[in-house]
Structure formats: C-alpha cells, structure tokens
C-alpha cells in the first residue's frame, strides 16, 4: 500500500520540488499551504509535471484545530514541514511575526504527529552553523548563536524536534540545507520571490531578464581567493531527492537513531563571483554587476561536508552548478513568457 506524505508549504519553492520527487517515487502527497508567500504558479506547475491533480488544502498550521483535523482525517505516514517565513532581514524587523508563525506552526505539527504516530522531517538550514570555525562543516560542528530571529527559529525548531523525539518515542530528521538554487528542468516550477529578491540567484536572473538594472555583489574584500563570499549552492532537484531518501528511511524503519541530522550540500565552495561568471558563460550573456559594501550579517564562507548523507541516506548531489544555473535561467524566461 502506498504511503502518504503531508507537505506543509508545498506550494513554495522547495516544497513544490519535493512534492514532484515524492510523487514520482510513488508516495501519495497532500499539499497544504496558506499561500501567504506564494501564488498558484508552482502548484499548477507540479500538477502539469505529474499529469494529475494532487490534493491541495489551503490552511494555516498556526491553527491547531485545523492541523489536528487534517491529521485525523488522513492517514499521514510522514510530514515535511516547509511552511515558514524565511527572509533574514524581515525577521530582524518583525521578530514576533517570525516567532509566532515559524514556532507555533511547528509546535502544532509536532503535537498532531505525536498523537497520530507520524514521522517528522524538518527543513533546517546551514544558518545554524553561523560563521563556522572550520570548513567544511559536519553535523558535529557547533551551532553558533543565531544572528537573526529567522536563524533562531531554525535552531529552536531543531530543538523542539529533538526533545519531542526523546520524550514521546517519535522519529524525526532535520535536513540542514546549504544554498538551494535552480529550478525544475521542465521550467514549470521554480523560485518566485515577492518584490526585490534577497537571494543571489533570483537577483541574477532578474537582472539578466531586465527586471533589475544591476546586480550588487556584497563585498569583494573578504579573506577568500577572489574576495567574495563562499557558499555551497545545491541544486533544488538534488535537494528535493534528499527528502525522498530521508522520508523512506523514516517510513521503512531504517533510522539508526530516532533523531537524525544531515547536511544537504555539494561539498564544493563557490564564490559569488564564480557563480556570476558561470551564469554568464553557460547562458551566453553578460550581466550588469557592480561591487558594493558587505551585507550585514553575511558569513564569509560556509560549505558542507555531505558525507554523512551519502553514507546513511545514499544521497549525493549530482548536478553541476552550470546545469543548475541554466535551469534557473530557463525558469526566469518561462516566467517572462520568453
Ligand atoms: N549576494 C550578493 N548580492 C545579492 C544577493 C546576495 O552579493 O543581491 C551574496 C551574499 O552576500 C552572499 C551570497 O550572495 O555572499 C549568497 O547570498 P544569499 O542571500 O543567496 O544566501 P545566504 O547565504 O545569505 O542565505 C542562506 C540561506 C538563508 C539563510 C542564510 C543564513 O538562503 O535561508 O543563508 O546565513 F538564512
């Protein structure tokens, strides 16, 4: 009998790609989203890629009664929680909004998962490592004090999951994503930032298409080979596949510990300038960019040691940064109707 996975925030960037991979791997997927930070584009894209309508529930996981109702009306084998706010700067300006939304929704999911024996996968972030003392970071590297309420919610939710697993006999996995970029090769789903993008790749593609005049590279005086920051950019489809590995590990009872953490990255550091140059080269265009002062709160360099995920989940990033940047550009052109 096929197993059912609930994807909270399933209409968003990561959630929509994970939904496609889960469904293609044979899982029944229920998408739930309050659409507070997206429109129907990705949901429609998911259905077009899969050639079928997936169950969609418009709801807010901050509503505990609605959350409990969803879990009692469906036999849910695992839940993946993406429904959260994610803009670092906004979280500094609006901490209460971030704490209320990101923490309450996850507490409600944990409560319902406890009642119904559901496995829980939490989408965490490399942000929990802060400015690491050593790179690459392993899952054992220390978590640093969070520098934003957003980062704090990631750390707190990891702790909520760890403590609930320990107390209630639950099973949970936290995946710590590095920098997810790109789009589905179909160009039917991708990243849809509202307003001015905070993240690098949407800013690059919007500059290339003419929506933004100029890309500002924040800082070229970092102690790195070319002076710009180093990150671990992970293809969104590769990242989505890691969720299939983690969900099946939980559902099939293959976990070695009831709470496990995995880094999801490539293990390759890429500088901002290298990424910009790769984008120009693979897509055969010139980007209008300029160096600007450092952005407050940016870490110099962080990249993953992804070997634990390879050993235990049997997962590994497969796509090159060039393939990923070509997909990101195809998505931007699709959005522009080109
Ligand atoms: N950058 C630019 N110009 C831009 C946007 C970004 O130069 O217009 C640079 C940044 O300074 C950084 C790199 O591109 O060096 C990557 O920036 P992103 O905003 O794309 O990603 P971050 O590494 O800052 O963000 C990631 C995750 C967040 C997480 C954050 C915490 O995307 O979810 O790490 O450090 F919160």
């Amino acid at each position: 009998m096929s197993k059912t996975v609930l994807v909270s925030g399933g209409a968003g960037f990561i959630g929509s790609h994970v939904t496609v991979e889960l469904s293609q791997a044979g899982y029944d997927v229920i998408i739930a989203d309050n659409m507070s930070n997206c429109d129907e584009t990705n949901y429609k894209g998911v259905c077009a890629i899969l050639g079928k309508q997936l169950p969609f529930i418009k709801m807010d996981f901050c509503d505990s009664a609605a959350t409990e109702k969803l879990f009692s009306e469906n036999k849910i084998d695992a839940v993946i929680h993406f429904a959260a706010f994610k803009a670092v700067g906004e979280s500094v300006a609006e901490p209460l909004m971030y704490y209320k939304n990101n923490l309450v929704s996850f507490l409600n999911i944990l409560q319902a998962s406890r009642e119904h024996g559901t496995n829980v996968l939490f989408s965490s972030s490399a942000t929990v490592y802060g400015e690491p003392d050593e790179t690459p970071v392993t899952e054992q590297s220390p978590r640093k004090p969070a520098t934003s309420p957003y980062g704090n919610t990631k750390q707190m939710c990891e702790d909520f999951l760890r403590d609930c697993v320990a107390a209630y006999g639950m099973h949970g996995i936290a995946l710590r994503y590095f920098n997810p970029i790109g789009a589905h090769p179909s160009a039917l789903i991708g990243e849809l930032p509202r307003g001015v993008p905070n993240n690098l790749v949407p800013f690059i593609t919007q500059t290339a298409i003419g929506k933004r005049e100029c890309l500002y590279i924040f800082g070229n005086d970092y102690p790195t080979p070319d002076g710009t920051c180093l990150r671990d950019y992970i293809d969104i489809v590769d990242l989505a596949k890691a969720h299939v590995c983690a969900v099946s590990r939980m559902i099939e009872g293959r976990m070695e510990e009831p709470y496990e953490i995995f880094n999801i990255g490539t293990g390759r550091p890429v500088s901002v300038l290298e990424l910009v140059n790769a984008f120009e080269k693979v897509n055969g265009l010139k980007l209008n960019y300029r160096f600007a002062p450092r952005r407050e709160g940016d870490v110099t360099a962080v990249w993953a040691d992804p070997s634990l995920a390879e050993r235990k989940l049997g997962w590994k990033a497969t796509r090159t940064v060039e393939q990923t940047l070509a997909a990101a550009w195809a998505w931007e052109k699709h959005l522009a109707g080109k």
Side-chain angles (χ1 to χ4, degrees):
M1 210 180 79
S2 67
K3 301 286 184 183
T4 300
V5 183
L6 169 64
V7 181
S8 87
F13 173 45
I14 303 180
S16 58
H17 288 82
V18 169
T19 297
V20 167
E21 297 304 316
L22 284 169
S23 182
Q24 288 179 337
Y27 289 101
D28 290 332
V29 183
I30 302 173
I31 300 174
D33 204 300
N34 69 358
M35 308 303 277
S36 70
N37 203 23
C38 61
D39 61 20
E40 288 186 347
T41 308
N42 277 334
Y43 173 67
K44 287 184 179 154
V46 165
C47 298
I49 292 167
L50 297 172
K52 64 179 180 192
Q53 287 295 115
L54 286 193
F56 174 84
I57 297 161
K58 185 160 189 267
M59 64 165 284
D60 190 335
F61 286 90
C62 290
D63 181 339
S64 59
T67 305
E68 170 52 31
K69 186 164 176 277
L70 178 63
F71 276 72
S72 50
E73 287 177 354
N74 298 275
K75 162 94 188 72
I76 298 167
D77 297 284
V79 54
I80 308 183
H81 182 51
F82 294 112
F85 296 147
K86 59 170 189 177
V88 177
E90 185 184 54
S91 81
V92 175
E94 289 290 346
L96 278 177
M97 184 173 116
Y98 271 67
Y99 287 128
K100 265 161 69 179
N101 185 62
N102 293 9
L103 303 183
V104 173
S105 58
F106 194 48
L107 288 171
N108 287 337
I109 282 180
L110 285 169
Q111 180 75 46
S113 299
R114 178 195 177 189
E115 311 286 339
H116 297 275
T118 307
N119 297 291
V120 181
L121 196 163
F122 176 64
S123 66
S124 191
S125 165
T127 193
V128 302
Y129 297 117
E131 179 90 58
D133 301 326
E134 282 176 21
T135 44
V137 290
T138 72
E139 292 78 359
Q140 306 307 321
S141 299
R143 291 190 328 188
K144 293 291 179 65
T147 53
S148 70
Y150 161 79
N152 210 12
T153 66
K154 290 292 176 197
Q155 295 196 351
M156 291 167 91
C157 286
E158 282 193 355
D159 294 346
F160 293 172
L161 181 56
R162 178 201 61 203
D163 295 346
C164 288
V165 163
Y168 306 134
M170 299 167 64
H171 288 82
I173 290 181
L175 297 182
R176 290 178 176 159
Y177 314 143
F178 282 69
N179 286 55
I181 62 165
H184 195 266
S186 65
L188 293 172
I189 55 175
E191 202 165 357
L192 270 174
R194 287 211 165 145
V196 182
N198 291 309
N199 296 113
L200 179 59
V201 170
F203 212 106
I204 289 176
T205 56
Q206 289 196 6
T207 306
I209 206 95
K211 267 172 102 171
R212 312 274 154 214
E213 208 191 305
C214 178
L215 166 75
Y216 294 95
I217 295 182
F218 300 136
N220 63 344
D221 57 351
Y222 283 97
T224 59
D226 65 18
T228 66
C229 293
L230 298 172
R231 293 288 184 276
D232 185 333
Y233 295 95
I234 173 75
D235 181 89
I236 187 68
V237 177
D238 275 337
L239 177 98
K241 289 181 194 292
H243 295 72
V244 179
C245 299
V247 159
S248 58
R249 183 174 170 89
M250 290 195 293
I251 290 182
E252 293 162 15
R254 288 187 279 108
M255 292 178 74
E256 291 169 29
E257 304 286 339
Y259 174 55
E260 295 179 328
I261 301 173
F262 297 103
N263 283 342
I264 302 300
T266 65
R268 285 190 307 270
V270 173
S271 77
V272 176
L273 207 49
E274 283 173 328
L275 197 83
V276 167
N277 291 337
F279 180 85
E280 291 185 326
K281 194 164 171 214
V282 70
N283 296 312
L285 42 83
K286 277 276 157 223
L287 209 58
N288 185 26
Y289 70 84
R290 218 169 289 159
F291 292 111
R294 293 181 179 193
R295 182 171 70 177
E296 207 189 324
D298 274 344
V299 303
T300 304
V302 61
W303 69 94
D305 176 341
S307 57
L308 189 70
E310 186 174 355
R311 281 202 313 280
K312 305 281 183 189
L313 293 180
W315 173 87
K316 199 173 173 234
T318 60
R319 287 165 69 80
T320 64
V321 90
E322 286 77 15
Q323 289 173 312
T324 306
L325 291 170
W329 181 229
W331 164 246
E332 189 69 59
K333 285 192 289 186
H334 167 80
L335 285 178
K338 291 187 182 171

